Amino acid sequence: MGVVVGEEWTRRCLTRADRRAVGFVALSLLSFLALWLVSVWIGSRWVLVLIPLCVEFAVPGLRHFFSRRVMRRLVDAFPWHQQAVSFVPGRARVGRQAYLETAGSDRTFLRLPEMPERVREQVRRTGRLWIAGPDERGRTAVLTRGTPFVTLGRVVIR
């Protein structure tokens, strides 16, 4: 079955996710500051219509911080187990989301809100993820082995 994912790897992945989330929020704040300075410099507030772009930069980081407690609860309540997965044809990339089909499932997908390209490549290459859960609401902690990445996914019915 392979090497078991331990607490040390989970902690490393969560630390990396925390840093990435702080980076997204910092990028958002810096973008907002730059837009504000440009609007003051040119004397026009029309530049501020780009503020939704700043919010878009912050979304991945905020999503992580709001879901981190749920993810920790899942990791504490369920053991990590390795799962064979494949991208769903035609739905492999819907925006930043990824839809994965688990081996042996008949009518369910695993929806991940964020999945960087480096992680997508590793999943394509290995065909495996580590999963803790799902809970009664279908939430699942998802982790990769080899590339530090952890996120909160959801099991959805087709």
Side-chain angles (χ1 to χ4, degrees):
M1 180 148 181
V3 178
V4 175
V5 172
E7 183 63 31
E8 182 61 35
W9 183 254
T10 302
R11 188 175 19 263
R12 182 175 175 194
C13 289
L14 279 170
T15 301
R16 183 95 174 244
D18 290 344
R19 285 189 202 132
R20 190 174 56 244
V22 167
F24 278 118
V25 172
L27 177 64
S28 173
L29 293 173
L30 288 173
S31 299
F32 176 77
L33 178 64
L35 286 174
W36 180 75
L37 288 174
V38 167
S39 73
V40 168
W41 183 50
I42 65 174
S44 173
R45 294 190 179 180
W46 284 103
V47 174
L48 298 179
V49 299
L50 296 174
I51 287 178
L53 181 64
C54 299
V55 174
E56 181 69 21
F57 287 150
V59 166
L62 295 174
R63 181 183 295 123
H64 169 74
F65 287 125
F66 286 124
S67 66
R68 191 179 196 287
R69 188 173 61 228
V70 173
M71 195 177 333
R72 260 331 279 179
R73 248 184 284 153
L74 284 167
V75 168
D76 292 340
F78 297 96
W80 288 111
H81 62 278
Q82 196 175 52
Q83 185 71 49
V85 295
S86 61
F87 286 96
V88 176
R91 295 186 98 181
R93 184 187 301 267
V94 179
R96 286 186 244 188
Q97 295 185 55
Y99 287 86
L100 299 166
E101 189 167 20
T102 58
S105 70
D106 55 348
R107 297 184 31 85
T108 59
F109 290 154
L110 180 59
R111 183 183 70 210
L112 303 177
E114 291 283 330
M115 190 175 220
E117 191 58 39
R118 64 183 167 75
V119 177
R120 289 176 193 268
E121 279 302 314
Q122 182 188 7
V123 170
R124 281 186 197 100
R125 194 173 5 90
T126 64
R128 301 231 173 254
L129 286 176
W130 290 83
I131 296 174
D135 66 3
E136 66 280 350
R137 294 177 58 191
R139 296 177 300 194
T140 306
V142 177
L143 178 126
T144 57
R145 185 80 182 143
T147 302
F149 176 75
V150 66
T151 191
L152 186 65
R154 183 172 298 272
V155 175
V156 294
I157 305 227
R158 298 188 230 185

